[in-house]
């Protein structure tokens, strides 16, 4: 670990979306939690402050010393005691136990036709935002990608790592690998899933943006649209994929308005949406206010968590799959 | 048109990219994290020797007017600060110091240190008054966050009406797009509003955002969050680079390279023990008596290989250039000036 | 002002004497020209000796350490980390020394247990895998600042008066007795000379200077030792090199750091404590033979202390102590030598001597009565968990409702600083640091000093630039000798303090 490189310049604290939110009190910031707290011999666990981070990597990008702050936070989380678990995170674990996903599943359109490609929508796309999944699926079909949506696939485990439930995540990986072994290609809509599949499962999953990049889709979307560039796409998966997200939309004919701060966190990541819903929606509210001031008609994103969290603030939010889906 | 790869997205990298793009070059700017000049006070300390005009053009922005000439202001501990060019609210025209200043603070917040400041103002012959705002902000939370709400600004304006000094010294807390609030506040309270000169805070962040927008506006392709892990060098020519970002790695071809990775503070050059070391393992690093003043060696403006050969298409800019003259305080002017010289050397080549 | 006993020097020994005498009902006054603990008591590696280090060459000291080790663990558990210690030999060390060590431990009463190299490396993962012989000993680390403060606090509760920043400027000797002691109090609390029955000279490295005021001599060799502070705890135990005591053979984990020690050279004066680049390189090279990870680790500070040693120089000198009556003066008792670990024993012996002179027959109670509670590690934030470690039983006087942190390196609460300032003892930024640890962390005060000074200026008129310069300069000594990331820390510091705040320019 490289926390010992810290020179206390405070760049991370200035970049942190939680610390800079009026409803983020109690969080000592990336440096306080990730660098300073673990140095003390008095504590083996620093308690719930380890959970007050959206894992957006903004601190890591701002750090002139190159400290792996997100890894540091993840490590703190894996050392949490059961007593530190937040009610929202308990619910996630209960849902995992009952249906294998962090939210209860509403999706009905399973496709188990023996195709060689698996579309893996993720827990939010199967539970809360089924329209996102349906649109992405029809877009894939329109692009000639025949695919399955398997009811046997479960949560990728990424949200569980983020709430410190490492053991459960490993169990889910084993279940998923059995499903994945029947396919040549896995496509996801959630950059959190994509990362997990690549980094932890070791399979070359593709995010929807990466699929769209080579396939030249067209959009019939009217109005002016701002982007919510997902943290886990840009700073997690690949900064080039984030560049592609914009260029795919522009090439498809969408009127895209680039606004400063489009790549700042929506507040929905890292288990915050379930763990600290007030802070999470406060960050989203402030972000949406910023978008509204630019006069756009809505926001296009590429992450179900962003869609869900920003969408709750009453602004139109489309996933990139929805923005480019053929009109029904 | 040729392609130039600029490595490092600090002040020197952003400025040289902009200069090159304006001259019609295709520029790809690669930086390890978010663009950053956040160590800066946002003021240009010394008069830049050759690039005053370009710099003024570069920094011109609808959101933040600049004052140019001999300027003086106050740091957040009340010590005097002199500079050449500053955001309009950071300083006054040299020699026109206010006779009395109200120092505004939030109790327990380190954005401004009011008792230290008052004491040092008095030592300079400036009458000091203290105004503590009744808002609670934890010390680790940037004030910018607290001052996003209209309520805080109204509270401040109201409180200022009860004071009587010539000028108001505020902690630095406005982002680029909100800079106009300081003008509004000045109108509301009828006296000069000064922003305390602060390192490591909003002034540096504003400058970063401004420079980033200018470079992007000039057509520079900005690859932030990516790092050049190796250079492809044939003889005396950089032909390309390996760039990695997230879980992807790309090879890019280039006709020229500007290396602006910064000094040891931003980890541009490795420090092994007390010595600077080139992370690419290619270039000569000149050492000064003070190891940290060292940097890339150059000959006639171009970088030099460890084997002594002068590069044909690579230049260094900013804090990673070897310079005996560099010292604290001249940072931004020095970085920008060296970026201009690097671009000139590249054009000559 | 009449006093039974005047104790000069508020280090561990002086503070211990004040507590001891006060508990025996003696009316005493403790003075220090600077802050309590500003000399060698604060400038050491904070090792609570098991005695192991001295068993072969200095069995007397070893036996003393062995006894005092258990006493201190009993009476001052709050400021002691019972880490345990390891003595480890490497292939290049004299193989016979280990056996001599083993025998000497037995004869001096230092508890020890030989363990296999495998067991040693599993309980201390950073240990050099080439370790040959390994012994467990009950070494620990002790926070000297906290220990001295607790002694002073206890002494005061028992009726002693203790004043820091109060220098003795002269002594009047009549008929072979000190009849009058002149003092200069930086804060004007003492205005009249002291008329003592007995004067105790416990001024450490300054022992000869103080004795000189009464035209007496006190012999002590001055010896400088350098130490390094690492970022983070680099080991779990106190790690000693199993060989004749020599330079660079010990690493002591303490608070958030490890202290690497020490070097030894004759000092020209009590203030001759400067650390050289050679010291730093030497210490890193030597200690990393025991703990290889130290080779690349970040050094956040280097500091030196000047200790008064008895009989001979450097490593040859005994670590024991001596108590001498003034040669030409009846009522002067000088104490020199000794170790932090044996401070209480020294205090007991001095107090016995003093009580003899005063005709006081009460016995010593300092080994029976606790100085403070065990450190509490339950509940609340890190800062709260650390309060008892730093303040012992005084921790309860700190308000815990205000949870704002003022120094994040050391997790110091703002209210700790406020409470310390309320005692009136802290006059300078360094005084606050010794009590709270604000400024002892890896940024060496860059982050917290201005906020601490701001609080100090609420109650006192100060020249802020003078105070900042004095404190921050001193904290920089280590940085300028440091390496790697601490150099970047130093560069940032220079940019902020000199470049922006203009502290260099305004001199």
């Amino acid at each position: 670990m490289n926390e010992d490189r810290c020179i206390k310049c405070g760049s991370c604290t200035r970049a942190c979306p939680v610390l800079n939110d009026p409803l983020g009190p109690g969080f000592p910031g990336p440096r306080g939690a990730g660098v300073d707290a673990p140095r003390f011999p008095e504590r083996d666990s620093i308690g719930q402050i380890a959970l007050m981070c959206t894992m957006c990597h903004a601190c890591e990008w701002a750090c002139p010393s190159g400290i792996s702050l997100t890894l540091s936070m993840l490590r703190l989380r894996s050392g949490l005691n059961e007593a530190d678990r937040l009610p929202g995170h308990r619910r996630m674990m209960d849902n995992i136990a009952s249906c294998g996903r962090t939210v209860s599943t509403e999706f009905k359109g399973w496709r188990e036709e023996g195709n060689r490609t698996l579309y893996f929508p993720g827990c939010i796309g199967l539970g809360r935002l089924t329209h996102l999944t349906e649109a992405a699926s029809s877009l894939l079909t329109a692009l000639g990608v025949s695919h399955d949506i398997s009811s046997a696939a479960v949560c990728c485990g990424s949200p569980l790592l983020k709430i410190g439930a490492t053991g459960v995540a490993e169990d889910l990986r084993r279940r998923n690998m059995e499903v994945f072994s029947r396919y040549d290609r896995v496509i996801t809509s959630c950059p959190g899933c994509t990362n997990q599949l690549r980094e932890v499962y070791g399979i070359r999953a593709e995010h929807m943006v990466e699929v769209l990049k080579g396939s030249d889709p067209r959009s019939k979307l009217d109005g002016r649209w701002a982007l919510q560039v997902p943290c886990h796409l840009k700073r997690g998966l690949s900064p080039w994929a984030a560049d592609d997200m914009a260029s795919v939309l522009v090439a498809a004919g969408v009127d895209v308005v680039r606004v400063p701060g489009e790549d700042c966190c929506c507040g929905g990541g890292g288990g915050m949406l379930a763990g600290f819903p007030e802070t999470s929606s406060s960050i989203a509210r402030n972000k949406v206010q910023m978008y509204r001031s630019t006069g756009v008609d809505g926001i296009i994103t590429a992450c179900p968590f962003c869609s869900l969290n920003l969408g709750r603030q009453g602004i139109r939010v489309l996933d990139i799959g929805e923005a480019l889906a053929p009109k029904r | 048109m040729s392609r130039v790869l600029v490595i490092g997205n600090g002040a020197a990298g952003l400025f040289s990219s902009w200069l090159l793009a304006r001259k019609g070059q295709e520029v790809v700017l690669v930086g390890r994290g978010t663009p950053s000049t956040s160590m800066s006070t946002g003021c240009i300390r010394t008069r830049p020797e050759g690039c005053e005009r370009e710099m003024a053009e570069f920094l011109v922005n609808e959101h933040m007017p600049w004052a140019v000439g001999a300027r003086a202001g106050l740091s957040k501990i009340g010590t005097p600060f002199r500079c050449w060019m500053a955001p309009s609210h950071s300083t006054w025209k040299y020699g026109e110091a206010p006779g009395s200043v109200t120092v505004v603070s939030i109790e327990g917040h380190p954005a401004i240190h009011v008792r230290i400041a008052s004491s040092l103002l008095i030592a300079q012959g400036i009458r000091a008054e203290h105004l503590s705002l009744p808002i609670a902000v934890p010390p680790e939370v940037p004030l910018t966050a607290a001052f996003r709400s209209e309520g805080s600004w109204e509270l401040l304006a109201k409180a200022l009406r009860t004071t009587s000094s010539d000028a108001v010294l505020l902690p630095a807390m406005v982002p680029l797009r909100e800079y106009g609030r300081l003008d509004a506040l000045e109108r509301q309270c009828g006296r000069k509003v000064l922003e305390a000169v602060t390192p490591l805070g909003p002034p540096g962040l504003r400058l970063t955002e401004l420079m980033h927008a200018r470079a992007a506006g000039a057509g520079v392709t900005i690859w932030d969050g990516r790092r050049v892990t190796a250079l492809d060098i044939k003889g005396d020519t950089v032909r390309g680079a390996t760039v990695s970002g997230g879980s992807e790695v790309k090879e890019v071809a280039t006709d020229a390279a500007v290396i602006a990775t910064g000094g040891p503070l931003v980890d541009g050059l490795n420090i092994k023990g007390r010595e600077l070391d080139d992370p690419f393992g290619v270039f000569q690093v000149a050492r000064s008596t003070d190891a940290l003043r060292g940097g890339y060696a150059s000959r006639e403006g171009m970088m030099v290989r460890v084997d002594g050969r002068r590069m044909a298409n690579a230049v260094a800019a900013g804090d990673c250039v070897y310079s005996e003259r560099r010292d604290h305080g001249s940072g931004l002017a020095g970085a920008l000036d060296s970026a201009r010289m690097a671009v000139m050397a590249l054009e000559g080549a | 002002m009449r006093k039974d006993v005047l104790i000069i020097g508020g280090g561990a020994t002086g503070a211990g004497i004040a507590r001891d005498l006060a508990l025996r009902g003696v009316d005493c006054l403790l003075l220090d020209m600077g802050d309590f603990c500003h000399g060698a008591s604060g400038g050491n590696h904070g090792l609570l000796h098991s005695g192991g280090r001295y068993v072969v060459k200095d069995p007397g000291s070893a036996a003393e350490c062995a006894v005092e080790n258990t006493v201190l663990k009993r009476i001052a558990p709050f400021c002691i980390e019972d880490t345990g210690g390891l003595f480890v030999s490497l292939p290049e060390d004299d193989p016979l020394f280990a056996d001599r060590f083993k025998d000497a431990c037995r004869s001096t009463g230092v508890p020890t247990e030989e363990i296999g190299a495998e067991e040693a490396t599993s309980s201390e993962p950073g240990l050099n895998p080439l370790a040959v012989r390994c012994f467990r000993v009950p070494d620990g680390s002790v926070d000297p600042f906290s220990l001295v403060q607790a002694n002073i606090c206890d002494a005061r509760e028992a009726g002693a008066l203790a004043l820091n920043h109060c220098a003795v400027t002269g002594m009047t000797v009549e008929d072979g007795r000190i009849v009058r002691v002149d003092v200069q109090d930086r804060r004007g609390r003492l205005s009249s000379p002291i008329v003592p029955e007995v004067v105790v000279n416990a001024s450490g490295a300054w022992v000869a200077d103080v004795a000189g005021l009464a035209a007496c001599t006190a012999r002590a060799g001055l010896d400088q030792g350098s130490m390094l502070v690492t970022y983070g705890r680099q080991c779990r135990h106190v790690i000693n090199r199993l060989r004749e005591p020599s330079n660079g053979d010990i690493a002591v984990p303490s608070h958030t750091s490890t202290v690497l020690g020490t070097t030894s050279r004759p000092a020209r004066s009590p203030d001759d404590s400067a650390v050289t680049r050679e010291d730093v390189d030497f210490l890193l090279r030597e200690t990393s033979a025991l703990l290889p990870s130290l080779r690349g680790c970040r050094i956040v500070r280097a500091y030196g202390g000047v200790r008064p040693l008895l009989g001979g120089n450097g490593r040859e000198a005994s670590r024991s102590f001596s108590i001498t009556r003034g040669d030409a003066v009846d009522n002067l008792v000088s104490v020199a030598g000794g170790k932090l670990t044996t401070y209480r024993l020294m205090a007991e012996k001095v107090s016995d001597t003093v009580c003899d002179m005063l005709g006081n027959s009460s016995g010593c109670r300092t080994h029976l009565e606790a100085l403070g509670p065990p450190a509490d590690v339950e509940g609340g934030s890190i800062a709260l968990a650390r309060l008892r470690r730093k303040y012992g039983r005084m921790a309860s006087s700190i308000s815990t409702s205000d949870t704002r942190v003022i120094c994040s390196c050391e997790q110091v609460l703002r209210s700790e600083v406020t409470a310390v300032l309320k005692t009136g003892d802290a006059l300078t930024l360094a005084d606050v640091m010794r009590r709270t640890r604000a400024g002892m962390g890896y940024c060496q005060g860059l982050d917290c000093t201005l906020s601490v000074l701001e609080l100090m200026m609420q109650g006192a008129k100060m020249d802020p630039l003078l105070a900042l310069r004095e404190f921050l300069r001193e904290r920089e000594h280590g940085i300028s000798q440091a390496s790697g990331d601490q150099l970047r820390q130093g560069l940032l510091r220079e940019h902020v303090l000199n470049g922006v705040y203009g502290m260099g320019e305004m001199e």
Side-chain angles (χ1 to χ4, degrees), chain A residues 4-6 8 39 42-43, chain C residues 298 379-380 408-409 488:
Chain A
D4 64 347
R5 307 208 64 200
C6 179
K8 290 194 131 183
R39 292 182 300 116
E42 282 82 359
R43 283 275 179 282
Chain C
R298 174 171 172 186
S408 58
C409 288
R488 299 187 309 118

Side-chain angles (χ1 to χ4, degrees), chain B residues 39-41 45 75-77 79-81 107-108 110 113-116 119-120 138-139 197-200 264-265 267 271 273-274 292-293 328-329, chain C residues 277 280-281 404-405 414 450-451 453-454 457-458 462 464-465 468 481-484 487-488 491-492 494-496 498-503 505-506:
Chain B
M39 304 280 159
S40 166
T41 58
R45 224 33 228 279
S75 80
K76 71 167 192 173
I77 63 164
T79 46
F81 182 86
E107 184 60 38
H113 298 283
V114 66
R115 288 174 192 86
I116 304 176
S119 150
L120 292 173
V197 176
T198 304
L200 308 165
L265 190 62
D267 192 31
I271 304 174
R274 295 180 187 83
L292 293 180
R293 300 267 178 263
H328 53 78
Chain C
R277 262 286 289 278
V280 175
D281 293 340
R404 283 178 292 174
V405 168
R414 198 178 147 81
L450 290 170
S451 300
L453 181 62
E454 180 74 17
M457 288 181 71
Q458 272 185 13
M462 296 174 75
L465 281 186
L468 287 170
Q481 305 290 359
S483 60
L487 277 184
R488 299 187 309 118
L491 216 65
L492 175 69
E494 183 183 284
H495 163 70
V496 172
N498 294 339
V500 182
Y501 299 154
M503 280 187 203
E505 286 163 33
M506 281 189 72

